[in-house]
Structure formats: C-alpha cells, structure tokens
C-alpha cells in the first residue's frame, strides 16, 4: 500500500491509503481467562490473555467493554501489552481505546503501527478504521517518526488466512 505523508508544526503526521473497510456491525467475540460483568456500570471486564475479534483482532492483558443506554457496545478499552491486527497492519501500544460509533482507535503508551515494512511511531496514534487513515502526534515537544521503505514486504495477515490460522492465534504470537 502506498502512504502519503503530511506534517504540520504541531508534530502530526497523517498516513493515508485508498482502502475502504466494509460497512456494517459485526459481533464482538472475546476470549480471556476471566470475565467480570457489571450491569449497573454497563461494563464487562476481561482479564488475562484477552483476544477480542470484530473487524480486527485486539490482544491485551485486560479489556473493558462499555455499553450505551441501548445495551450496544459503545467503547472497547484495552490495556497492558496491546496488539491489534487488521489486514497488513499490526499496532502495538500500552493502551488502546476503540470508539465503535466513530470507528476509530486511539493508541497511547509508546504506540507503533507497522504496515508491511513501513513503521510509524509517536506519543499518540489515532487510527480511523473505515478511511484506513492514521494521525500520529508527538506531545510536549515530542517528535513523530516514520520509516517508509521503498520495497514493501507484505506477508502478515494475508498469508496467515491462507494457511488457515485464526486471527485469535495471532495473540499467542510474539509480543
């Protein structure tokens, strides 16, 4: 995939490509060691070896699912050793917050997004799922870093699916 880079004085970098994600809601399937539900707090907490699958796979130590007044999933918060896999992209961070209505993920805690052999890093990365865009920000004078390789080496999810390996199995891979 080709990336277009834009920078501005606030140390932001936007990365964009021409892929559109499929529309529509999918169920969220979560596996973990433990689950704790609070109907009063409209929250379910999953702990230990968490794997959540929707349009992408989120792996983490802990995952909170928050519900709105209609009992629909509104937000997913992942923390501790967060890894996200979607197509040719892999993201890592200390924390990720997925706003399901806006279809965006905010990564913090040394976030990094890798697509094929290209890598972006910053203090905060916002990934817009349906537009296949990301905004990378440096905070408090921090800088962003992008390494764009001339030769794209894409393997990842496409080959994983060809081999019949589930996306959940990615969570058991390298951290």
């Amino acid at each position: 995939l080709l990336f277009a880079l834009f920078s501005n004085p606030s140390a932001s970098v936007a990365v964009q490509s021409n892929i559109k994600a499929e529309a529509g809601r999918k169920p969220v399937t979560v596996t973990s060691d433990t689950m704790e539900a609070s109907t009063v707090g409209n929250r379910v907490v999953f702990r230990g070896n968490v794997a959540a699958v929707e349009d992408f796979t989120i792996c983490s130590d802990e995952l909170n699912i928050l519900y709105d007044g209609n009992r629909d999933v509104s937000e997913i918060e992942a923390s501790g050793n967060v890894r996200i896999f979607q197509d040719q992209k892999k993201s890592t961070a200390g924390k990720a917050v997925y706003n399901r209505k806006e279809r965006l993920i905010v990564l913090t805690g040394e976030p990094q997004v890798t697509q094929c052999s290209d890598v972006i890093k910053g203090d905060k990365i916002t990934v817009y799922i349906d537009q296949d865009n990301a905004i990378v920000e440096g905070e408090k004078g921090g800088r962003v870093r992008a390494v764009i390789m001339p030769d794209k080496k894409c393997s990842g999810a496409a080959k994983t699916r060809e081999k019949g390996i589930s996306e959940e199995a990615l969570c058991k891979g390298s951290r």
Side-chain angles (χ1 to χ4, degrees), residues 28-29 34 57 66 70 144 151 161:
V28 179
T29 303
T34 65
T57 301
L66 293 94
N70 297 325
V144 301
D151 296 322
R161 277 190 227 112

Side-chain angles (χ1 to χ4, degrees), residues 30-35 45-52 58-64 77-83 93-96 171 175:
V30 183
T31 57
S32 67
D33 294 339
T34 65
M35 180 190 92
V45 180
F46 298 89
R47 290 186 182 95
N49 301 305
V50 181
I58 299 178
C59 312
S60 64
D61 296 333
E62 183 173 306
L63 186 115
N64 290 271
E77 299 174 352
S79 60
N81 194 26
V82 177
R83 284 122 32 238
K95 182 176 181 181
C171 292
R175 297 179 180 225

Side-chain angles (χ1 to χ4, degrees), residues 71-113:
R71 303 288 303 150
D72 290 329
V73 174
S74 61
E75 192 171 271
I76 298 174
E77 299 174 352
S79 60
N81 194 26
V82 177
R83 284 122 32 238
I84 301 173
F85 302 92
Q86 182 187 28
D87 301 325
Q88 297 292 334
K89 288 191 289 278
K90 176 184 178 183
S91 304
T92 59
K95 182 176 181 181
V97 178
Y98 171 46
N99 180 318
R100 198 167 191 217
K101 181 180 178 185
E102 300 296 323
R103 307 244 329 128
L104 63 87
I105 302 171
V106 178
L107 304 167
T108 55
E110 299 181 19
Q112 174 176 307
V113 177

